[in-house]
Each structure stands twice: as structure tokens, then as C-alpha cells.
Amino acid sequence: MSDAPVRPAAAGGTAPPRSNAVVAVLAFAGIVVSLMQTLVIPIVPELPKYLHASASNTAWAVTATLLAGAVVTPVAGRLGDMFGKRKLLLVSIVLLISGSVVCALSDSLVPMIVGRALQGLAAATVPLGISIMRDELPAEKLAGSTALMSASLGVGGALGLPAAAFIADNFDWHILFWTSATLGVVAFALVLKLVPESKVRTGGRFDFVGSIGMAVGLVSLLLAVSKGADWGWGSGTTLGLFAVAVVVLLAWGFFELRTSTPLVDLRTTARRQVLFTNLASVAFGFSMFAMSLVLPQLLQLPTQTGYGLGRSMLTVGLVMAPQGLVMMAFAPVSAAITKAKGPKVTLMIGAVIVAAGYGLNIVLMSEVWHLVLVSCIIGAGVGFAYGAMPALIMGAVDPSETAAANSLNTLMRSIGTSVASAVAGVVLAQMTMNLGGYALPSENAFKVVMAIGAGAAVLAFVLAAFLPGRSRAAAQAAPAAGEPGTRSGADEVSGAKA
């Protein structure tokens, strides 16, 4: 039996009260956070004018969010396991609100970067929400609810882009951030009112040394990856940051293996089910973001290129919006397959669908409806995969480690998206055509990026094939959710071996 505390709401064998409301509120919070990440995209080209700074400096408004999110996600997960996931979720939303207000009041570069960094500190909202679901929901609801929570990332991003483009075209740009702050206040109030605090805790002390080491290593790595194209991949700054990342992360790993209360339990992370799920998450993060880089450019490039569609940012948002709705629509399908066949099968199906979507995009890219179709196909595949990943993670870790494990998985996806941005940037910068004296990415450059995206999805499929089968991995995350009378996923695996 797992020694994790039993959920009080389920102690009598009945479903926790207001479980549907809990799911709806947590999914809404996830959508708000993903909206925050998308709202700035339509105004990125105008930021130098708005903030009276150079384009290279205003790019930090995007980079700061990425770095802050990468650093805070594993830290918030660990703190949530120690002191309460709902508490950390509320803190995350407060940081989102604070950052949004700072950005809304900004007319210069430094406050904008500070505000965007504060917004990035809310990145742990989705993994914390998934972990709360594991603690609070009855077993039969867990798979579908976590799939819906994972899909909230795509829903918020897809719906946020057309909304942000409309606001940016018709109102003062500060309204974008006032909107984000208002939604954050609503999310905070709903979580405070309707989401209970779990009693599942790890206890122990917080690993400050480990958190600093991970922060330095991750910031060095992601800064080199995200800014390498601007600084030059062979520059001393870029190579130096890569060197710092390697040295610090190796030292950090050595330290984590020898401390009694590590920030990240590397032994748990090395379990086959956790390890290969995280590796597949990197590949999926890469594959999903490749589409986000390609489709907007194809839609906006001038028709004189022979392949660009010459559309507005608002059209880009409207084309991308159905993807998020498809992700949400396929969340229950993903959960049903996970329940019937196990999350490994669901993840592999998602990988095949994403690869097929990219393959179709290589031959269908000349009409707006082509890109809508491709976006929806890839969105369906990502919906399958993102619904399966939390189930795989929660099926292999103790309930008291859920938030930390889910947060690390989210970080792996973020690393994948960062690498995708860098790789796509190199390809599009190297394979160009001349139009009116300007160098623009060629049609073949976009096809190469699509092929790489398809390859990343195939890699995710191969990695998923190494995951334990259903009988060895407890198959579904639901029985591992601390349900009374059941063992955790990790206990079931060891029990099966015994």
C-alpha cells in the first residue's frame, strides 16, 4: 500500500464534491496562463516603437518569459509537493496578475521585461493543476480531466492569438495586459473559492543549493539556445554559455544524487517510464512549436514570393484558433484510449498523427484552408500526446511527488520548443530567396522545417515504444492517484514485478 495520505473527500468511497467545478476552474487557469504567453505575439514587431528601444533589446520581452518559466516550473512543483499545490497555484496566479499590471503600466523597456518575467513565473500553473486533480478527483475522472488540463495550453494559445491581434489592431496595446490581469483576477477568485487544498505532502526541507544550480544551468542553456542566432553560434558568449550549462548541470546532478531532499529526485527521473516520457516530451515540444513558427510566416509572407499568402496577423490567429478547439475536443478521446489501451498507446497514436500532419503540410501549403486542415490534424495529435504524458508520469511516481514530476515534464516540453525555435531559425536564415533586395526564407526552407517537425514526431513515437507496457506500468494513472484501497502507480509496478 502507498503511504500517501488518503483524500479526505473520497474517504467514504464517494466522488469528491464539486469535482466538475474543480476541473473547469483549473482548466480555465491553464487557459489564462497560455493566453498570457500569446498576447504579446502580435505586437512584437511594434515593441521597438512602443518602448523606444532596439529590436534586439525588445526581444528580451519574450526571452524573459521563457527563462523565468523554465526556472520556476521545477521549483514551484517541489514547493507544491512540500507545502500545498493550491497555495503555489494561487501564488503563480498572483505573479501573473502582478506581471500583467506592470506591463500594462509600462512605456519603456525595463519595466516591460520585469513584467514579462513575472508573467513567466506563472508557468507552473498547468503542472500544479494536474497534480491537484490527481489528489482530488475520483479515479474514473482523472484521465479525462488531466487530458483537458493539458489541452488548455493549446486552447489558450490558439484562442489568444486572434483575440490579441484584434485588440492590438483596434485599441491601445496596453489593453492586452489589462485583459490578462483581469482574467488572472477571475482565475484567482475561482481557485480560492472552488479548489480544495490537498493534504498530500512530502515534508522535508527545500533544496536551495539545488534550485540555484538548476536555475544557473537552465538559464545558461536556454539563453544560449534562444539568443545564439543573434549573437552567432560560434561567438564566445554563446559557446561560453553552453560550457557553463554543461559544467553546472553536471555538478548539479552530482549534488542532487547525494542530498537527502533533492529538488529533483534523479533516481525517480531515471525510471524507464519517467525517463522516456520526458524524452518524448522534448521531441513533442519541438514538433508542436515547429508548426507555430512555420504557419504564421507562410500566411503573412507576400504573395510575390510565389508561396506566401499575404494575410494579416488577425487571419493568422483565426487560422490557428481551430487547433486549440480540436485539442480540447480530442481530450476525451485521448482519455478513452488511455483507459482502454493505456497511455503508451495514446502517446504513440498522437506521434503518428502529428507526423502525418507535417507530411501533409509539405504538399498542401498553397491555400488558407490547407493550413487550417494541417493545423487541426497536428492539434489532434498533440491533444492525444499531451493527454497521455501526465498519465504516464503519474503512473510512475508516488502521489507526494506528483507536482515535482509533472513540472519537470512541462520543463522538458519547454526545452523542446526552445530548441525548435533555434533550429528553425537557422534553417530559415540559411535557405533564402531574394525579393526586392530583401532576403526571405525560401519555400524549400519551410518544407525542411516541416520535415524536421515530422522527424521529431517520429522520434517521439520511437521513444514511446520503449515505455513499459500496460501490465508493467499500471496502465492508467487513475489507480495511481491515491485512490483509497489502491496503490500508487510506482507501487503497482513493483508489485507486479514481485
Side-chain angles (χ1 to χ4, degrees), residues 30-273:
I31 290 173
V32 171
V33 170
S34 58
L35 276 169
M36 170 276 299
Q37 296 171 337
T38 309
L39 283 177
V40 75
I41 292 177
I43 63 170
V44 166
E46 303 298 325
L47 281 178
K49 179 179 70 176
Y50 295 151
L51 302 177
H52 315 290
S54 66
S56 60
N57 286 332
T58 56
W60 285 99
V62 176
T63 306
T65 308
L66 165 70
L67 298 179
V71 170
V72 79
T73 300
V75 173
R78 173 62 177 156
L79 289 172
D81 282 334
M82 292 176 64
F83 302 114
K85 304 173 186 72
R86 177 176 175 266
K87 287 187 179 70
L88 266 293
L89 178 60
L90 290 169
V91 169
S92 296
I93 297 174
V94 168
L95 291 169
L96 168 66
I97 297 168
S98 302
S100 300
V101 171
V102 170
C103 291
L105 296 173
S106 297
D107 285 306
S108 59
L109 181 63
V110 173
M112 174 62 76
I113 292 175
V114 171
R116 289 291 291 166
L118 286 170
Q119 287 185 315
L121 294 176
T125 297
V126 170
L128 285 169
I130 290 173
S131 303
I132 290 171
M133 288 178 177
R134 181 182 191 179
D135 294 343
E136 300 302 325
L137 299 184
E140 65 273 11
K141 283 181 172 286
L142 185 61
S145 299
T146 55
L148 180 65
M149 186 71 187
S150 295
S152 70
L153 285 171
V155 173
L159 298 181
L161 195 56
F166 176 79
I167 292 172
D169 286 345
N170 295 279
F171 302 96
D172 181 82
W173 65 275
H174 294 92
I175 298 296
L176 292 169
F177 297 103
W178 286 121
T179 301
S180 177
T182 302
L183 292 172
V185 170
V186 174
F188 181 89
L190 290 173
V191 171
L192 193 63
K193 177 70 174 176
L194 297 174
V195 177
E197 179 62 270
S198 169
K199 297 187 182 300
V200 180
R201 309 284 172 82
T202 59
R205 63 180 181 84
F206 182 69
D207 180 13
F208 285 102
V209 175
S211 64
I212 293 171
M214 174 174 261
V216 172
L218 285 175
V219 168
S220 300
L221 174 63
L222 294 175
L223 199 53
V225 169
S226 60
K227 302 295 287 185
D230 295 333
W231 295 337
W233 293 106
S235 70
T237 302
T238 303
L239 295 177
L241 285 170
F242 276 126
V244 169
V246 170
V247 172
V248 170
L249 290 176
L250 285 174
W252 170 80
F254 184 84
F255 175 82
E256 292 294 282
L257 287 171
R258 283 156 180 78
T259 186
S260 57
T261 55
L263 176 70
V264 177
D265 188 341
L266 294 180
R267 292 181 176 84
T268 297
T269 305
R271 292 175 187 165
R272 184 167 59 148
Q273 184 160 328

Side-chain angles (χ1 to χ4, degrees), residues 100-490:
S100 300
V101 171
V102 170
C103 291
L105 296 173
S106 297
D107 285 306
S108 59
L109 181 63
V110 173
M112 174 62 76
I113 292 175
V114 171
R116 289 291 291 166
L118 286 170
Q119 287 185 315
L121 294 176
T125 297
V126 170
L128 285 169
I130 290 173
S131 303
I132 290 171
M133 288 178 177
R134 181 182 191 179
D135 294 343
E136 300 302 325
L137 299 184
E140 65 273 11
K141 283 181 172 286
L142 185 61
S145 299
T146 55
L148 180 65
M149 186 71 187
S150 295
S152 70
L153 285 171
V155 173
L159 298 181
L161 195 56
F166 176 79
I167 292 172
D169 286 345
N170 295 279
F171 302 96
D172 181 82
W173 65 275
H174 294 92
I175 298 296
L176 292 169
F177 297 103
W178 286 121
T179 301
S180 177
T182 302
L183 292 172
V185 170
V186 174
F188 181 89
L190 290 173
V191 171
L192 193 63
K193 177 70 174 176
L194 297 174
V195 177
E197 179 62 270
S198 169
K199 297 187 182 300
V200 180
R201 309 284 172 82
T202 59
R205 63 180 181 84
F206 182 69
D207 180 13
F208 285 102
V209 175
S211 64
I212 293 171
M214 174 174 261
V216 172
L218 285 175
V219 168
S220 300
L221 174 63
L222 294 175
L223 199 53
V225 169
S226 60
K227 302 295 287 185
D230 295 333
W231 295 337
W233 293 106
S235 70
T237 302
T238 303
L239 295 177
L241 285 170
F242 276 126
V244 169
V246 170
V247 172
V248 170
L249 290 176
L250 285 174
W252 170 80
F254 184 84
F255 175 82
E256 292 294 282
L257 287 171
R258 283 156 180 78
T259 186
S260 57
T261 55
L263 176 70
V264 177
D265 188 341
L266 294 180
R267 292 181 176 84
T268 297
T269 305
R271 292 175 187 165
R272 184 167 59 148
Q273 184 160 328
V274 178
L275 176 63
F276 279 96
T277 300
N278 284 334
L279 291 175
S281 296
V282 175
F284 259 107
F286 185 107
S287 189
M288 179 182 179
F289 200 66
M291 177 198 62
S292 301
L293 293 167
V294 168
L295 266 60
Q297 293 194 58
L298 287 175
L299 284 161
Q300 290 184 282
L301 281 170
T303 55
Q304 290 87 339
T305 59
Y307 58 87
L309 300 177
R311 303 303 175 116
S312 67
M313 176 57 75
L314 180 58
T315 301
V316 172
L318 293 173
V319 168
M320 301 290 285
Q323 179 200 29
L325 300 177
V326 168
M327 287 179 66
M328 179 169 284
F330 274 85
V333 181
S334 169
I337 295 175
T338 294
K339 184 176 181 179
K341 301 294 184 180
K344 172 182 176 178
V345 173
T346 309
L347 182 60
M348 295 177 77
I349 291 173
V352 170
I353 294 173
V354 171
Y358 276 110
L360 189 63
N361 199 186
I362 293 174
V363 297
L364 290 180
M365 54 183 288
S366 59
E367 301 286 345
V368 171
W369 72 267
H370 291 171
L371 302 186
V372 173
L373 175 63
V374 166
S375 173
C376 289
I377 292 173
I378 294 176
V382 172
F384 274 98
Y386 277 18
M389 287 171 189
L392 286 162
I393 293 294
M394 292 188 294
V397 302
D398 189 88
S400 62
E401 299 174 338
T402 302
N406 277 325
S407 296
L408 183 63
N409 182 252
T410 299
L411 173 62
M412 293 299 105
R413 283 185 250 172
S414 298
I415 290 174
T417 61
S418 300
V419 175
S421 179
V423 171
V426 169
V427 172
L428 297 177
Q430 295 298 317
M431 301 178 65
T432 61
M433 61 175 290
N434 186 282
L435 182 66
Y438 293 94
L440 297 176
S442 67
E443 182 178 10
N444 284 335
F446 288 108
K447 291 183 177 181
V448 168
V449 174
M450 294 172 203
I452 294 173
V458 171
L459 175 61
F461 177 89
V462 172
L463 290 168
F466 286 94
L467 289 166
R470 178 170 185 168
S471 60
R472 298 190 60 197
Q476 302 175 47
E483 183 185 5
T486 67
R487 297 169 292 179
S488 73

